[in-house]
Amino acid sequence: MGGQRVWGGAAIDAIEMTGPVGWMAAASLVCGAVLSLAMGPESRGAALLGSLGPLAAAVATWIVVKRQHARKPDQVSNAMIKLLAGKMLLFGAYVAAVVTLVPVPPRAFVVSFTSQYIMLHFIEGLFLRRLFAAPGRRVGVD
């Protein structure tokens, strides 16, 4: 079966899946490094925590949407709405927990979290555009 794995009845090419996830992880790493350098060494932990939540959510969202698109493309919008609701709840709890329970500079965490969130949604949007493009039409990032 080559590089394909079957998840929930849908064959997903493992290499095809790692492209967007790799881009998201690399962009998150670069963004986190830039923020750590800009905010100083005392905010490295905050920058790391600010990147983990948005990165985990973006990767999970991509995997779920990609699977749903392979199985039932007409149900992708419903899945994305449910994912958005779940992310809203999880992000609220995550931010509240980090700001109140973890001894990191809150401003550095919020700056990191916000910049990662926006950047990863932009990258996710590029790959979603490519995923939803008409067959045979190349769009977006290669």
Side-chain angles (χ1 to χ4, degrees):
M1 228 199 221
Q4 291 196 344
R5 295 198 175 120
V6 176
W7 290 336
I12 304 289
D13 189 336
I15 294 172
E16 185 179 321
M17 185 66 76
T18 57
V21 171
W23 275 100
M24 289 180 209
S28 185
L29 182 65
V30 169
C31 184
V34 168
L35 290 172
S36 291
L37 290 172
M39 293 186 283
E42 67 280 350
S43 50
R44 284 189 188 131
L48 177 65
L49 288 172
S51 67
L52 290 179
L55 179 59
V59 168
T61 298
W62 178 257
I63 291 170
V64 170
V65 169
K66 183 76 174 172
R67 283 189 206 171
Q68 189 67 28
H69 188 265
R71 280 189 273 157
K72 295 182 182 176
D74 59 321
Q75 294 295 313
V76 171
S77 292
N78 290 339
M80 289 178 72
I81 291 169
K82 290 175 185 172
L83 287 166
L84 177 63
K87 284 194 286 188
M88 286 171 46
L89 294 172
L90 289 173
F91 281 153
Y94 180 71
V95 169
V98 170
V99 169
T100 58
L101 302 174
V102 182
V104 295
R107 183 183 310 180
F109 169 75
V110 170
V111 168
S112 176
F113 183 90
T114 304
S115 60
Q116 294 276 348
Y117 180 86
I118 292 168
M119 177 197 60
L120 289 168
H121 271 83
F122 177 75
I123 293 170
E124 193 177 338
L126 291 175
F127 282 107
L128 286 171
R129 180 176 176 222
R130 181 176 172 190
L131 180 66
F132 299 147
R137 184 173 155 226
R138 303 278 307 168
V139 177
V141 180
D142 284 324

